[in-house]
Amino acid sequence: MGANSVAFVEFHIGVSMGGMVAVPLNFRLAAKELQFILNDSSCKALIYAAPYGNIVDELRGEVSSLKHFISLSGSREEDVGYEELLSGPAGGSTLQPDAEDPAAILYTSGTTGFPKGAVLSHYNMLAAIRGNIIEQHIVPENTFLGVGPLFHVAPLHILLAILYRGCTCLILPQFDPNTVLETIQRERVSNIFLVPATLKALLDFPDFAGYDLSSLSTVTYGGSPTPRKLLLRALKSLGPVLLQVYGSTETGLTTVLDKNHHMTTEPNGEHKYIHTCGREIVDFMVRTVDERGNDTAPGRPGEILVRGGSVLRGYWGKFEETQKALVDGWYHTGDVGILDDMRFLTILDRKKDVIISGGENIYPAEIETVISTLPQVSETAVIGVPDDRWGETVKAVVVLKEGKTLSADDIIDACKRNLASYKKPTSVDFVGELPKNSTGKVLKRVLRDRYEKTRATTL
């Protein structure tokens, strides 16, 4: 438990090589959330950085399986120091793991409830590494800057791919736009992975234009939907270096929108593919299916199913949930998307977030895209709320930029101009912030619960 460091890389590789199982922890979680993960995974040892000593002290005695506490900052009371442990006599496991043995348990973000532990085997990890090397065209001459938290699957897999290929790797403890820009310029960084929020933070940095970023050859991004206007701005500022990845904790890298397809345009000059997340990677298969499990026709929405070498072996200690998620070798992502006749995949929404109003399926992401284009809007979330006539109806929850004003009618009118009438919100609430988990994902279940309770109280 700690920020990015060389020790984190040593831990992840060394533990796996020793036949043990690595469980990276999100240090942003509260003590109760960490307690759940540690108990669920029956962890026996906890390595932690100094800033989290107080949380570790809260966990003592609350996790019966924990026998060893190891401090990255040297010995601390009864806890052994990390470097002290490494300099001592060799010992412990000499077990040689098999390809199908667990290498890591990565816990999902828990946007729908308690997190689940995705079990990734050594074969899964190697398949993910190779997929990243091939699809991102990683070569030994690359210099990678790691800024994403390594307890997340994408930054972790990309880092391991870079090391596996023999590249130079630089690791920052956390993302800071000034430090990132200075490091890219000074170290002639060629590769970096960003999420939309950190990509925007770099572009918004006051002296962004003053840095020499000409060494960048691949700026990989993903992790959440990227607004179109941010993508167009990044293409203009950075050039043809963007590469989009789509995947999950359970699957690893699944599809890629490569650099060339970012630049492909229609005859009218419109970008042809940047609304998609690309095509399936090498040795991967993607399908979209209807409620009966039948493949949908090109251009028709369906649940996204994936199959490939990096797909998880199952959920730790959850046989029934594993059986539901993995059917005949296909992982049911819970995402709804469209495959076109060229196999480009467009993500519409999470299956559980689809609003069914009067028999029509409405995908909140479509509405959120329209609302987010309004210059006064900072962020938005669209949910379905109970309606006596239609079953569900559309509600937009909106956070405005500081000092900006907008009415509910303004937002509804913008949706009417850009979407079918039945998709427009029937109500709009303005709030100071949206509920989010520790990784920044909006918790729509919290919003749905909030408005369901409000309706129940009103009735």
Side-chain angles (χ1 to χ4, degrees):
M1 181 168 62
N4 292 352
S5 65
V6 172
F8 188 102
V9 182
E10 293 174 342
F11 151 77
H12 216 291
I13 296 175
V15 162
S16 299
M17 288 177 66
M20 297 171 281
V21 182
V23 183
L25 295 175
N26 180 348
F27 55 81
R28 300 188 182 108
L29 296 178
K32 287 292 183 184
E33 294 172 302
L34 291 165
Q35 181 182 326
F36 171 85
I37 291 173
L38 291 166
N39 275 316
D40 187 69
S41 58
S42 299
C43 276
K44 292 182 173 58
L46 176 61
I47 303 172
Y48 67 92
Y52 309 101
N54 290 338
I55 294 178
V56 170
D57 290 341
E58 285 185 55
L59 295 170
R60 295 179 198 274
E62 300 296 329
V63 183
S64 59
S65 61
L66 270 179
K67 306 300 180 187
H68 309 282
F69 293 84
I70 303 161
S71 168
L72 288 170
S73 305
S75 57
R76 176 177 176 262
E77 298 177 1
E78 70 271 27
D79 298 347
V80 65
Y82 177 76
E83 295 296 338
E84 177 188 342
L85 184 68
L86 292 187
S87 63
S93 173
T94 57
L95 183 68
Q96 292 297 313
D98 292 327
E100 297 302 328
D101 286 342
I105 304 174
L106 271 59
Y107 276 79
T108 61
S109 55
T111 55
T112 58
F114 287 113
K116 299 187 291 290
V119 180
L120 304 180
S121 69
H122 290 267
Y123 176 82
N124 292 151
M125 298 294 280
L126 189 58
I129 287 169
R130 288 175 172 168
N132 276 282
I133 289 172
I134 293 168
E135 299 294 341
Q136 298 194 53
H137 309 290
I138 297 170
V139 295
E141 291 77 17
N142 289 150
T143 297
F144 174 73
L145 178 59
V147 297
L150 293 173
F151 54 77
H152 281 316
V153 67
L156 175 63
H157 281 171
I158 293 172
L159 171 73
L160 294 176
I162 288 285
L163 292 172
Y164 187 89
R165 194 68 180 95
C167 308
T168 298
C169 183
L170 308 163
I171 301 173
L172 294 180
Q174 58 190 8
F175 176 84
D176 171 73
N178 187 28
T179 306
V180 170
L181 291 168
E182 286 180 349
T183 306
I184 293 172
Q185 177 176 273
R186 183 181 65 251
E187 303 292 342
R188 306 299 295 162
V189 169
S190 60
N191 297 56
I192 190 171
F193 171 78
L194 301 167
V195 296
T198 52
L199 175 60
K200 184 177 185 298
L202 286 186
L203 296 175
D204 286 345
F205 190 72
D207 195 28
F208 172 80
Y211 287 91
D212 177 9
L213 307 181
S214 60
S215 60
L216 285 175
S217 59
T218 303
V219 176
T220 305
Y221 68 96
S224 64
T226 307
R228 182 184 179 88
K229 60 184 178 182
L230 175 60
L231 264 182
L232 294 175
R233 184 182 169 200
L235 284 170
K236 184 177 180 181
S237 299
L238 298 170
V241 299
L242 295 182
L243 185 145
Q244 183 184 168
V245 293
Y246 161 70
S248 67
T249 303
E250 290 89 344
T251 66
L253 180 61
T254 301
T255 68
V256 163
L257 184 67
D258 65 26
K259 300 172 196 175
N260 290 336
H261 287 128
H262 274 83
M263 307 307 294
T264 304
T265 56
E266 301 277 13
N268 64 1
E270 281 290 312
H271 286 267
K272 188 173 183 178
Y273 297 116
I274 64 169
H275 67 284
T276 79
C277 57
R279 296 189 278 202
E280 62 257 81
I281 69 167
V282 64
D283 296 332
F284 244 81
M285 292 180 282
V286 174
R287 300 164 56 201
T288 55
V289 300
D290 60 23
E291 294 293 337
R292 297 179 181 179
N294 299 317
D295 289 294
T296 57
R300 300 291 298 174
E303 183 181 4
I304 300 167
L305 274 57
V306 302
R307 188 173 189 166
S310 58
V311 172
L312 82 166
R313 286 295 174 263
Y315 291 114
W316 182 257
K318 291 179 170 56
F319 178 78
E320 290 185 5
E321 295 200 38
T322 299
Q323 294 294 100
K324 290 178 183 177
L326 287 168
V327 181
D328 297 328
W330 291 90
Y331 174 71
H332 290 241
T333 66
D335 288 335
V336 176
I338 292 173
L339 272 173
D340 68 17
D341 54 4
M342 294 292 289
R343 302 204 58 76
F344 283 87
L345 179 66
T346 300
I347 308 296
L348 295 178
D349 228 312
R350 292 291 293 168
K351 186 178 179 181
K352 64 181 176 295
D353 290 336
V354 173
I355 301 165
I356 303 176
S357 183
E360 295 282 1
N361 284 1
I362 300 171
Y363 301 100
E366 287 185 288
I367 307 166
E368 291 164 355
T369 297
V370 171
I371 296 173
S372 67
T373 61
L374 298 171
Q376 300 93 334
V377 172
S378 174
E379 56 182 345
T380 183
V382 171
I383 60 170
V385 292
D387 182 83
D388 293 334
R389 180 179 181 186
W390 302 109
E392 282 187 302
T393 190
V394 177
K395 175 181 281 292
V397 186
V398 179
V399 179
L400 295 177
K401 292 178 181 176
E402 188 174 352
K404 300 295 183 181
T405 59
L406 206 62
S407 70
D409 286 341
D410 292 331
I411 288 173
I412 294 170
D413 288 343
C415 292
K416 285 168 66 176
R417 289 193 301 272
N418 293 278
L419 300 166
S421 180
Y422 67 85
K423 297 179 182 180
K424 70 180 184 297
T426 57
S427 62
V428 179
D429 275 17
F430 295 97
V431 298
E433 61 180 4
L434 296 175
K436 297 177 181 177
N437 67 7
S438 59
T439 60
K441 290 184 180 179
V442 175
L443 295 171
K444 289 192 174 182
R445 62 181 169 83
V446 174
L447 289 175
R448 283 191 288 265
D449 288 347
R450 179 186 301 172
Y451 290 106
E452 173 63 21
K453 288 174 183 176
T454 301
R455 179 175 181 269
T457 302
T458 303
L459 292 173

